[in-house]
Amino acid sequence: QVQLGESGGGLVQAGGSLRLSCKVSGVTFNYYTMGWFRQAPGNERQFVSAITWGGNTNYADSVKGRFTTSRDNAKNTMYLQMNSLKPEDTAVYYCAGRRFGDLTSTPRDYNYWGQGTQVTVSS
């Protein structure tokens, strides 16, 4: 059974940092392109970043230079380091997996999803 579990969310002041983790089980993690998405109330799910098994990455313009995605294939875990957080970064953050896929920002291209973790940035 495929499981993706996010952790690391919380409440932080503007300008602060958080590190999210996504632990994956039930699949061969190396075969998967992984992505981070976020969704604020009343908004559509929005692409944040993606990373291939080999470490190639892609970012949304809104987070470039502030967020960094990485993965540890030995630990079946992906990370999202978020720095210089802004109130507009407030959302539920989801990790997603796509088997043998290219870097893509389209949610429907991903096969598996986690339950999400709340990130709240206060002004």
Side-chain angles (χ1 to χ4, degrees), residues 28-40:
T28 304
F29 185 63
N30 291 16
Y31 293 169
Y32 280 74
T33 290
M34 300 297 297
W36 287 102
F37 291 80
R38 64 188 182 186
Q39 189 167 17

Side-chain angles (χ1 to χ4, degrees), residues 20-62:
L20 305 183
S21 299
C22 173
K23 176 73 172 178
V24 180
S25 61
V27 297
T28 304
F29 185 63
N30 291 16
Y31 293 169
Y32 280 74
T33 290
M34 300 297 297
W36 287 102
F37 291 80
R38 64 188 182 186
Q39 189 167 17
N43 291 350
E44 293 185 351
R45 195 160 293 191
Q46 179 186 46
F47 171 73
V48 175
S49 66
I51 184 168
T52 64
W53 70 271
N56 293 325
T57 56
N58 187 28
Y59 295 92
D61 288 343
S62 60

Side-chain angles (χ1 to χ4, degrees), residues 6-105:
E6 303 92 340
S7 62
L11 174 64
V12 64
Q13 288 188 332
S17 298
L18 282 174
R19 188 193 195 205
L20 305 183
S21 299
C22 173
K23 176 73 172 178
V24 180
S25 61
V27 297
T28 304
F29 185 63
N30 291 16
Y31 293 169
Y32 280 74
T33 290
M34 300 297 297
W36 287 102
F37 291 80
R38 64 188 182 186
Q39 189 167 17
N43 291 350
E44 293 185 351
R45 195 160 293 191
Q46 179 186 46
F47 171 73
V48 175
S49 66
I51 184 168
T52 64
W53 70 271
N56 293 325
T57 56
N58 187 28
Y59 295 92
D61 288 343
S62 60
V63 306
K64 279 180 181 177
R66 300 188 298 122
F67 291 10
T68 302
T69 295
S70 61
R71 63 191 291 165
D72 185 336
N73 289 337
K75 296 182 178 179
N76 284 13
T77 303
M78 174 180 64
Y79 304 97
L80 183 66
Q81 177 66 44
M82 304 186 293
N83 298 328
S84 302
L85 282 161
K86 304 175 181 179
E88 52 263 43
D89 294 319
T90 295
V92 176
Y93 282 70
Y94 299 90
C95 65
R98 180 173 188 238
R99 181 178 169 89
F100 290 133
D102 297 330
L103 291 171
T104 174
S105 60

